[in-house]
Amino acid sequence: MSTAAAPASPQPTQKHFSVAIVGGGISGLTLANALIRKGIQAHVYEAAEAFSDVGLGLAISPAAHRILTSMGREVSEAYESIVTTHSDSPGYEQFRETWFEIVQTAGDGAGQVLLGLQAPPSGQTSVKRTDILDALSQFLPAETTHFGKRLQYLTQDRQNVLLRFEDGTSAEADIVIGCDGIHSKVKEALLGDDINQFLPQYSGMYAYRAVVDMETMVQAVGEPRARVSSFYVGKDAYAVTYPIMRANKVNIGLFKVDYSLWDSKLWAAPTTRGVMQQDFAHMGPSVSALMQHVTDTSRWALFDAPNLTRFCDGRVALLGDAAHASTPHQGSGLGQGIEDAHLLAELLSDAFVNTTADAMLALEAYDAVRRPRSQRAVATSREHAEILCGNHPMCVDPNSDNLLGYWQERFRWLWDVDPNEEVAKARNILHKLKSTHLSRM
């Protein structure tokens, strides 16, 4: 972990409530940074003994990119130092606003770029998971982060929320935010006996994953394909590549449709190179070249979760994958968690939010704005997989103007949102809730 910058001192606060964040992933740390910088007492409880060292690449959605570049000087500068764009490759500045190019994989048009999807002004932005965890964690005061705290259960009453951890320790807080991922223990506590209706579900696809050097990628698929983020589309399968680590490395994902039953307790299942090659034998020379550099042939199941009827209950709320776990097909899952964190931090720091009762109203306003948008992202991610795999009704002719136009426009709602307008919408709801609450007293 980097120690280049000292944690920022929290600003004086008039807030009369504390926040416990269960889960020290990217969304949880984004929330912790935002709250502490706004003078709100917040602690992070992470199950692992250290922040994750998994080094996979992650796409950052355009809206999330705008949030991370406006989180205050230290965090923004740290993020800017690790984020990768197409312009990090010398001579590729003209691709700065490109999100992905859609590439045909087989047949007479193999290798043809069907469409360049534009997401101005940022285009595709990506990070390495360990880098962004480092960037976010280095600014948190040491006393606010607690490791080895795997949640066993929580209970809430009219006084506070009690957290019990598997190591035998406990903690109390006025507000608890579950950022503990797709298998969230906070969600189990919030939903109680209803949890079985909302367990993660296999989406009918699995993936192979790899990170390779840019030089290796150039040898495999050539220029400019190696340096420009690409979807390789096929039938019942697709591949994705995009640069990370300032274009020194490339993230690779190979995705396959398979509706066979999957044991939901397993994230990954080992298989052979022969099985992987059979999965993508019809996908043309570029994908064949990518497969040569996937050294781990484990198949990673892709899960999402059914729509919840609420993200909060009393003093407890869910955020990120705990609330709306998604498949990765449109690169929006992490971004939705960052949008969650930004909006919730703005609500909890609102001038009208001073007591725990006020904070509970803020959770309701958060739910009212974030739940519809994030659940739409889950649904459209599945839909995008159908398009990429040629199984959507629009895919009768992959070269049709209708499909290409639909492809270009379907992301506008996701990319072009103004996070500050979303905050303003949520604040209006919050203020109305508080007015109603006061009128009943």
Side-chain angles (χ1 to χ4, degrees):
M1 295 293 173
S2 171
T3 56
S9 299
Q11 298 299 311
T13 180
Q14 297 298 316
K15 305 297 185 183
H16 301 292
F17 59 87
S18 60
V19 179
I21 299 168
V22 179
I26 296 168
S27 298
L29 295 186
T30 301
L31 178 63
N33 271 280
L35 292 178
I36 290 172
R37 276 169 165 65
K38 293 176 182 297
I40 297 174
Q41 180 185 348
H43 286 257
V44 177
Y45 298 91
E46 166 57 31
E49 297 298 331
F51 291 122
S52 173
D53 60 356
V54 177
L56 296 173
L58 299 169
I60 303 291
S61 67
H65 176 75
R66 291 192 290 274
I67 290 169
L68 291 170
T69 54
S70 62
M71 278 190 64
R73 182 177 60 82
E74 293 124 322
V75 173
S76 296
E77 288 181 355
Y79 170 69
E80 292 277 16
S81 73
I82 60 170
V83 68
T84 298
T85 71
H86 287 122
S87 59
D88 286 316
S89 289
Y92 282 77
E93 291 78 8
Q94 71 270 30
F95 292 95
R96 181 66 175 85
E97 296 187 348
T98 298
W99 185 59
F100 274 83
E101 290 190 334
I102 311 297
V103 182
Q104 188 169 330
T105 58
D108 295 338
Q112 174 187 349
V113 176
L114 300 176
L115 180 67
L117 295 170
Q118 304 299 306
S122 59
Q124 164 67 357
T125 53
S126 59
V127 294
K128 189 179 178 184
R129 178 179 172 83
T130 48
D131 288 346
I132 192 168
L133 285 172
D134 189 2
L136 292 169
S137 63
Q138 65 179 307
F139 300 111
L140 296 177
E143 66 272 15
T144 66
T145 55
H146 311 272
F147 295 103
K149 301 300 177 183
R150 185 174 298 279
L151 185 66
Q152 188 174 36
Y153 66 89
L154 67 81
T155 56
Q156 63 172 313
D157 57 29
R158 298 182 64 180
Q159 301 301 316
N160 60 20
V161 185
L162 174 65
L163 304 166
R164 291 285 187 186
F165 303 105
E166 291 185 1
D167 66 355
T169 62
S170 62
E172 295 180 351
D174 298 307
I175 298 293
V176 171
I177 310 299
C179 304
D180 49 342
I182 189 170
H183 297 293
S184 170
K185 294 293 288 186
V186 178
K187 181 168 74 172
E188 287 184 21
L190 188 147
L191 297 180
D193 293 340
D194 293 333
I195 185 63
N196 289 332
Q197 302 175 44
F198 300 100
L199 294 175
Q201 56 192 9
Y202 174 54
S203 68
M205 294 188 72
Y206 56 77
Y208 303 88
R209 310 186 300 190
V211 174
V212 301
D213 293 336
M214 179 60 78
E215 294 80 2
T216 299
M217 189 68 175
V218 171
Q219 293 174 5
V221 298
E223 303 261 14
R225 197 75 286 120
R227 297 183 180 275
V228 178
S229 301
S230 303
F231 284 118
Y232 299 81
V233 297
K235 182 60 179 173
D236 291 333
Y238 78 92
V240 62
T241 64
Y242 54 86
I244 60 172
M245 298 182 68
R246 294 296 194 186
N248 289 307
K249 292 187 180 292
V250 178
N251 203 68
I252 298 174
L254 306 175
F255 297 83
K256 180 71 171 64
V257 173
D258 185 346
Y259 291 111
S260 303
L261 292 178
W262 190 286
D263 185 343
S264 61
K265 296 180 181 179
L266 296 176
W267 282 103
T271 189
T272 65
R273 178 162 296 277
V275 170
M276 180 180 68
Q277 290 173 336
Q278 183 178 357
D279 282 345
F280 300 97
H282 62 295
M283 290 287 285
S286 293
V287 174
S288 178
L290 294 177
M291 280 193 289
Q292 304 309 311
H293 303 288
V294 178
T295 56
D296 180 359
T297 59
S298 296
R299 296 188 293 188
W300 291 83
L302 304 180
F303 291 86
D304 56 17
N307 287 345
L308 297 178
T309 56
R310 64 188 188 278
F311 283 0
C312 66
D313 181 27
R315 299 167 176 266
V316 180
L318 303 173
L319 186 150
D321 282 352
H324 45 76
S326 177
T327 53
H329 307 301
Q330 60 187 8
S332 60
L334 174 59
Q336 289 302 300
I338 292 170
E339 289 185 39
D340 288 347
H342 171 69
L343 186 138
L344 183 54
E346 291 296 320
L347 289 177
L348 290 174
S349 63
D350 187 271
F352 286 89
V353 176
N354 299 301
T355 66
T356 300
D358 297 334
M360 292 165 67
L361 295 177
L363 298 185
E364 292 184 34
Y366 157 78
D367 174 74
V369 173
R370 287 299 307 149
R371 183 157 48 90
R373 177 170 166 79
S374 61
Q375 290 179 346
R376 183 180 179 186
V378 174
T380 55
S381 179
R382 279 203 175 212
E383 181 192 49
H384 195 224
E386 293 177 353
I387 298 172
L388 293 169
C389 295
N391 294 327
H392 191 274
M394 296 289 291
C395 296
V396 175
D397 179 1
N399 294 291
S400 72
D401 291 339
N402 287 340
L403 174 60
L404 300 183
Y406 175 73
W407 224 326
Q408 184 66 68
E409 293 302 317
R410 72 180 302 276
F411 295 102
R412 298 268 67 91
W413 73 273
L414 188 62
W415 295 341
D416 295 345
V417 67
D418 182 342
N420 292 326
E421 289 183 2
E422 294 292 285
V423 169
K425 185 192 308 182
R427 279 202 172 110
N428 286 336
I429 295 171
L430 169 61
H431 297 165
K432 290 178 181 177
L433 288 171
K434 184 161 186 181
S435 295
T436 301
H437 178 72
L438 290 174
S439 69
R440 293 174 177 171
M441 293 180 66

